[in-house]
Amino acid sequence: MGGTCGNFLNNLPAMQMAFWFCGGFVAATWVGILVCRPYARRWIHCRRSANDMIGFALASYATLYGILLGLLAVEAYQDFSSVQEINSKKALTLATLYQDLDGLPRPLRERLQAELRDYTGETLEMHWSDTTARPTSVGASPRLRTILSQLFAFQPTTKGEELVQAMGVQRVNTPIEQRRTLLASAGGSIPEALWWVVGLGAALFMLLMCLFDMEPHVHFVLGGALAIFLGSGVFIIATLWSWRDGHV
């Protein structure tokens, strides 16, 4: 979600965000019922009740719209899970690399481990902080390049040091690839045009719900229940994309 409204919602806790989505959909539905009810009775239900036709149209439309929301939810969850998996692997790789560096002699070992600690802190600050701008380059981090260049420049004197050097180079290349994957995926999100389709579809869904002719209290209860369900679906999609971007 782009714009000021999207940034406002993304900064809210999950429960407050759910309240805004569900409450907004319920409020819009109830207002729509109040506004549309007299016109629907006059223009649509003037001679005979059209509830059956409206119900058929609503059921058909809900099927198509539900498929759209379901596909978006699956896509958002898959991307979120993929980012989580890459982050877990990256953390494991960095921890293993830090231990492998114990096999190098001083002072090289201390310099490389210090660089690795700084890189880890830099990564946490850059990708998990709300106040830090995210990097736009998908290239290797300067600290990782420094570690890699020092490993290449190191001249091992024993077989053990030679093995540590080879494993270190391999493990440094792994977080470089993972970093590129994460940063490249940071630009991917649901297109704004698709959000417009979701919003327009929700508006049409609520409009059809408002056209029924029934007892007011029944209309409000059914409309509110469907609005909560609809708002929950959109909330899940928006939340997964928001959390995904927050972990890239």
Side-chain angles (χ1 to χ4, degrees):
M1 291 180 298
T4 305
C5 181
N7 294 332
F8 168 73
L9 291 175
N10 288 340
N11 292 329
L12 290 177
M15 291 302 298
Q16 292 186 22
M17 191 175 178
F19 173 80
W20 276 100
F21 270 97
C22 295
F25 275 90
V26 170
T29 301
W30 285 355
V31 170
I33 291 174
L34 291 175
V35 173
C36 296
R37 186 176 181 84
Y39 296 100
R41 282 189 168 184
R42 187 184 313 160
W43 294 340
I44 300 177
H45 306 283
C46 57
R47 294 186 178 180
R48 53 179 297 185
S49 176
N51 283 344
D52 292 340
M53 293 301 300
I54 296 175
F56 176 77
L58 182 62
S60 302
Y61 177 78
T63 301
L64 297 177
Y65 189 68
I67 292 175
L68 172 63
L69 290 184
L71 292 175
L72 289 177
V74 170
E75 175 67 19
Y77 180 76
Q78 287 179 343
D79 282 0
F80 174 73
S81 299
S82 176
V83 169
Q84 289 286 80
E85 182 180 359
I86 294 176
N87 281 327
S88 298
K89 290 181 178 179
K90 185 175 182 179
L92 179 60
T93 300
L94 293 177
T96 305
L97 175 60
Y98 190 88
Q99 293 180 346
D100 289 344
L101 294 177
D102 287 336
L104 296 177
R106 294 181 178 179
L108 177 62
R109 177 183 65 193
E110 296 175 347
R111 291 201 307 268
L112 293 181
Q113 288 181 335
E115 288 285 350
L116 192 59
R117 286 195 300 269
D118 292 340
Y119 169 73
T120 303
E122 176 187 274
T123 301
L124 292 174
E125 177 68 21
M126 186 173 297
H127 298 287
W128 274 267
S129 174
D130 295 333
T131 59
T132 304
R134 293 176 185 172
T136 56
S137 173
V138 297
S141 167
R143 295 191 184 277
L144 289 180
R145 288 199 298 266
T146 299
I147 295 175
L148 198 58
S149 62
Q150 292 189 45
L151 283 174
F152 280 133
F154 173 64
Q155 297 295 329
T157 57
T158 65
K159 285 291 185 180
E161 292 178 353
E162 184 177 345
L163 179 61
V164 171
Q165 181 191 37
M167 292 298 297
V169 171
Q170 180 181 355
R171 295 194 190 280
V172 170
N173 283 321
T174 300
I176 290 177
E177 296 174 359
Q178 293 167 341
R179 181 177 187 270
R180 288 173 177 170
T181 302
L182 287 173
L183 294 181
S185 65
S189 61
I190 297 179
E192 185 176 354
L194 196 52
W195 277 117
W196 279 102
V197 172
V198 172
L200 179 60
L204 291 176
F205 185 91
M206 291 185 291
L207 176 61
L208 288 174
M209 186 63 204
C210 294
L211 297 180
F212 281 103
D213 183 22
M214 59 183 71
E215 293 294 328
H217 65 282
V218 177
H219 206 172
F220 281 115
V221 170
L222 292 180
L226 288 177
I228 291 176
F229 181 76
L230 184 61
S232 300
V234 179
F235 157 73
I236 290 175
I237 297 172
T239 302
L240 286 175
W241 279 104
S242 174
W243 286 352
R244 164 196 173 276
D245 291 340
H247 287 75
V248 171

